[in-house]
Amino acid sequence: MLVALLLVIIFLGIATFLFYLEKRINKAEKKLKELESVKNQENKQ
Amino acid sequence: MTDMGTWKAHWWKILGVLLIVYIIVGGFLFEVPELPVIRQSIRNIYFHVGMWFGMIFILFVGVVYSLRFLLGGRTLDDTRALSAVQTGLLFGVLGLLTGMLWARFTWGAFWVNDPKLNGAVVGIITYLAYILLRASVDDSHKRARLAAVYNVFAFVLFFVFIMILPRMATSSIHPGVDGNPALATGDLAPQMRLVFYPAMAGWFIMAWWLFSLLFRTRKLRDGISEYEETINTPTHG
C-alpha cells in the first residue's frame, strides 16, 4: 500500500513536470512563430 | 487556447496518466494468483512487459519515420525518427531495470547468462550505436540518410536478437521462448487482464507523449538556430 502510494506520488510528479514542459514548449513555439513572421515582414519591406 | 481546445489537445495525455496511476494501484493491490517461485513478483509484468512493448511500439514508429525520410527527404522525419529511438532507448533501459529486479527475486541474481537477456542487451546496444553513428557524421543530410538506413537495419537486427536467436537457443529460463509472453491464451489469469491490457495502453500513450515532447523540443531548438542565423545574416538591397 505504502509503496503504491509512493510510486503514484512520484509518477504524478513526473506527469506534472511533463505538462509543465508541454506548456513551456507551446509558449516557445508561439513566440518563435511571431518572431519569424515579423522577420518575414521586415524582409518583404 | 480555449478550455475546449486545451481538453482536445490533452485528453489522451490525461488518459495516459490515469492509466499509469491505475496500473500502479491495481498492480500493487489487486489480487494475483499464488504461483510457485514467481509468487508476488508476477505483479512486475504490468511494468516490465508494458515498458518493453512500449519500447517496441515507439521503435516501430521510428522505423516508419526513417522510411518516410528515405522516401521524401524531409528533415523533420529524421528528427522524428531520432526522437523515437531516444524514447525507445529510455523505455528499453527501464524495461531492463525492471527485468533485473524481477530476476533478482525469481532467479536469485540481477543478471543470468540467458539468450533472451543477452539478446535484449545486445539489441539495446544496437540502438546506442545509432546515436553514436549520428554523432560521428558532420554533414547533416548525409547523417540523416545514414541514420535512416541504419535505423531500418537496427529494427530488423533488434528482432533477431530478442525474438529469433533466443528461440533458436536450446534453453532459456525467460518465459515466452515458445510464443509471446503474457499475450498467449492462458498465460494470464483473468483478473490480471484487467490491469495488463490497460497497462499496455498506458505505456504506449506515455511512450508517444515523451516522443512528441522530445521531437517538439528538438524542432524548436533547430527553429531557434535557423532564426538566429537569419538575423545574423546581413540582408542585401
Side-chain angles (χ1 to χ4, degrees):
Chain A
M1 178 79 180
L2 198 69
V3 178
L5 188 71
L6 192 71
L7 282 177
V8 166
I9 291 168
I10 292 171
F11 177 72
L12 286 178
I14 294 169
T16 310
F17 173 71
L18 291 180
F19 276 115
Y20 166 75
L21 208 65
E22 181 107 26
K23 201 177 165 184
R24 289 287 304 267
I25 292 171
N26 281 339
K27 265 189 183 175
E29 281 172 345
K30 269 185 193 170
K31 184 79 185 164
L32 185 64
K33 263 188 187 170
E34 278 172 18
L35 288 171
E36 279 173 345
S37 64
V38 168
K39 181 71 189 166
N40 285 341
Q41 276 180 350
E42 277 176 8
N43 283 347
K44 275 181 189 172
Q45 283 168 0
Chain B
M1 203 184 280
T2 60
D3 283 349
M4 197 59 200
T6 310
W7 172 248
K8 270 187 180 173
H10 297 301
W11 71 268
W12 58 275
K13 297 160 200 165
I14 296 166
L15 176 70
V17 172
L18 291 175
L19 280 171
I20 301 291
V21 170
Y22 170 73
I23 296 158
I24 296 171
V25 174
F28 275 86
L29 303 178
F30 289 5
E31 201 181 313
V32 291
E34 268 294 334
L35 297 168
V37 184
I38 207 162
R39 296 174 186 274
Q40 291 290 316
S41 74
I42 188 70
R43 295 175 187 280
N44 197 11
I45 201 168
Y46 310 126
F47 304 93
H48 172 63
V49 177
M51 286 167 182
W52 201 252
F53 280 13
M55 173 201 68
I56 291 171
F57 159 68
I58 210 69
L59 289 179
F60 176 71
V61 169
V63 171
V64 171
Y65 282 122
S66 284
L67 287 171
R68 259 180 60 162
F69 172 79
L70 289 172
L71 292 172
R74 284 181 296 268
T75 318
L76 279 183
D77 284 334
D78 174 57
T79 312
R80 284 189 182 99
L82 171 63
S83 307
V85 168
Q86 286 178 329
T87 311
L89 276 172
L90 174 71
F91 271 68
V93 170
L94 289 174
L96 281 181
L97 289 176
T98 46
M100 284 168 71
L101 200 66
W102 203 352
R104 173 70 183 83
F105 289 100
T106 49
W107 303 329
F110 285 111
W111 199 269
V112 291
N113 192 14
D114 182 88
K116 191 107 177 172
L117 273 68
N118 294 343
V121 84
V122 174
I124 295 286
I125 291 169
T126 309
Y127 273 100
L128 284 174
Y130 169 87
I131 306 290
L132 284 177
L133 176 75
R134 293 189 71 96
S136 63
V137 183
D138 287 330
D139 180 69
S140 64
H141 198 72
K142 195 176 171 186
R143 176 175 58 222
R145 268 188 304 154
L146 258 175
V149 172
Y150 181 83
N151 194 21
V152 176
F153 278 108
F155 192 70
V156 176
L157 270 178
F158 191 67
F159 269 84
V160 170
F161 289 134
I162 66 164
M163 296 278 192
I164 299 168
L165 288 181
R167 280 169 169 76
M168 289 169 73
T170 48
S171 66
S172 171
I173 52 170
H174 192 285
V177 172
D178 302 324
N180 295 310
L183 290 180
T185 317
D187 264 11
L188 270 184
Q191 71 265 33
M192 287 186 72
R193 288 182 199 157
L194 293 174
V195 182
F196 183 76
Y197 294 127
M200 293 301 110
W203 291 120
F204 277 36
I205 292 172
M206 288 311 292
W208 184 265
W209 189 13
L210 279 179
F211 152 71
S212 72
L213 283 176
L214 266 176
F215 164 66
R216 286 171 64 197
T217 309
R218 188 161 286 114
K219 188 181 157 199
L220 195 63
R221 201 184 58 194
D222 293 345
I224 291 168
S225 306
E226 267 177 40
Y227 176 75
E228 280 175 349
E229 270 176 35
T230 55
I231 56 168
N232 290 332
T233 310
T235 49
H236 300 286

